[in-house]
């Protein structure tokens, strides 16, 4: 199976092409960019496919980081994958951004904690157990404060590898001999992790692909606030 991976959940626009039968990455393009992902991701994926000597019609399935992450970035990535899925009539897969980042560090044997900055003092996080090839969930995805995460890791009682865009900040704030930090290339989003994460997931049709925000989008919050105000007035 030839699998195209896409990640637009953060500052990085990334595409990877994975030969699942041979377990070989044919190529990967990543760009840390200030541009809108809608300007970058499709040209990036197109260039990758051409560079590997493949055609878009050769793609058997597409995986995408479904969240958490940037609201706009996630919508762009999922929308692009849905469009390609419909056009190519191929299956799709949504992979947790946190899980994909952990898979970027799959060679680490032990506990891996993905930590991404959310808003204020909150972070998106999930903790995994790695055997060097597969991940096992220790807890569900959470939106919690940094202090709560530090407490969770302390109770875990084992050394842990920190990865994600807030890993360096967390590592510096809560210095502990139990904390190790992933190298720079293992901290940020990368479509290779999306591909690896997808291999243990169920592939679905393009119209079933959905974003997972982990927290309410601004429109939902504004609507709730408006409804509360109207309720008070009544």
């Amino acid at each position: 199976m030839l699998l195209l991976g896409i990640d637009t959940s953060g500052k990085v626009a990334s595409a990877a092409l994975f030969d699942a039968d041979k377990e070989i990455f044919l190529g990967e393009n990543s760009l840390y960019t200030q541009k809108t992902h809608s300007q970058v991701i499709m040209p990036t994926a197109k260039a990758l496919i051409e560079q590997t000597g493949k055609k878009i019609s050769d793609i058997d399935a597409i995986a995408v980081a479904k969240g958490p992450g940037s609201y706009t970035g996630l919508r762009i990535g999922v929308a692009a994958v849905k469009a390609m899925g419909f056009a190519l009539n191929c299956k799709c897969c949504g992979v947790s951004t946190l899980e994909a980042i952990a898979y970027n560090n799959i060679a680490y044997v032990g506990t891996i904690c993905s930590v991404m900055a959310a808003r204020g003092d909150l972070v998106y996080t999930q903790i995994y157990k790695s055997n060097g090839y597969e991940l096992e969930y220790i807890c569900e995805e959470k939106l919690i404060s940094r202090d709560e995460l530090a407490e969770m890791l302390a109770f875990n009682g084992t050394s842990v590898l920190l990865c994600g865009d807030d890993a360096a900040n967390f590592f510096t704030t809560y210095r502990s001999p139990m904390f190790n930090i992933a190298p720079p290339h293992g901290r940020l989003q990368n479509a290779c992790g999306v591909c690896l994460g997808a291999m243990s997931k169920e592939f679905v049709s393009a119209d079933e692909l959905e974003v997972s925000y982990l927290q309410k989008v601004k429109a939902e919050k504004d609507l709730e606030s408006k409804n509360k105000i109207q309720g008070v007035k009544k």
Side-chain angles (χ1 to χ4, degrees):
M1 177 176 72
L2 189 61
L3 175 65
L4 174 66
I6 296 290
D7 195 322
T8 58
S9 58
K11 293 290 187 182
V12 177
S14 180
L17 203 56
F18 183 56
D19 185 328
D21 298 323
K22 296 180 180 178
E23 293 192 334
I24 294 174
F25 279 101
L26 303 181
E28 182 266 324
N29 286 344
S30 290
L31 180 66
Y32 190 89
T33 178
Q34 298 299 321
K35 293 183 178 180
T36 304
H37 284 311
S38 59
Q39 298 175 278
V40 177
I41 193 57
M42 293 307 290
T44 298
K46 182 176 182 290
L48 172 66
I49 294 169
E50 292 175 349
Q51 289 162 359
T52 55
K54 300 294 183 180
K55 296 179 294 185
I56 193 166
S57 57
D58 293 328
I59 295 171
D60 298 303
I62 313 172
V64 62
K66 67 175 182 178
S70 159
Y71 295 144
T72 303
L74 291 172
R75 288 195 297 270
I76 290 170
V78 170
V81 170
K82 287 170 79 78
M84 285 189 285
F86 282 124
L88 298 173
N89 192 30
C90 67
K91 292 290 187 177
C92 302
C93 179
V95 177
S96 160
T97 310
L98 295 165
E99 183 177 354
I101 294 173
Y103 264 109
N104 287 333
N105 300 278
I106 191 60
Y108 182 85
V109 177
T111 303
I112 299 176
C113 177
S114 295
V115 52
M116 293 171 54
R119 50 186 169 80
D121 191 46
L122 297 177
V123 292
Y124 302 112
T125 189
Q126 189 163 27
I127 305 172
Y128 311 86
K129 193 75 173 179
S130 168
N131 62 8
Y133 190 76
E134 294 177 318
L135 295 178
E136 176 186 347
Y137 303 115
I138 292 179
C139 72
E140 295 182 354
E141 293 182 339
K142 296 178 182 292
L143 175 64
I144 59 177
S145 71
R146 290 179 177 84
D147 287 345
E148 288 177 292
L149 177 58
E151 186 176 347
M152 282 177 58
L153 294 176
F155 278 115
N156 188 49
T158 60
S159 61
V160 58
L161 180 71
L162 300 169
C163 54
D165 61 23
D166 200 58
N169 180 41
F170 188 88
F171 179 80
T172 302
T173 303
Y174 303 95
R175 289 191 177 275
S176 166
M178 294 195 309
F179 293 167
N180 302 301
I181 187 167
H185 67 272
R187 294 178 210 163
L188 297 181
Q189 291 90 332
N190 185 294
C192 291
V194 173
C195 291
L196 294 176
M199 298 314 299
S200 61
K201 301 286 184 297
E202 179 182 355
F203 284 77
V204 299
S205 60
D207 61 338
E208 295 178 275
L209 196 61
E210 295 182 352
V211 176
S212 175
Y213 294 112
L214 268 195
Q215 64 173 314
K216 294 174 181 177
V217 299
K218 184 178 184 301
E220 292 176 315
K221 294 175 185 175
D222 290 346
L223 180 59
E224 284 187 356
S225 297
K226 181 179 178 181
N227 289 339
K228 285 181 180 178
I229 293 172
Q230 290 178 341
V232 170
K233 288 181 178 180
K234 290 179 181 178

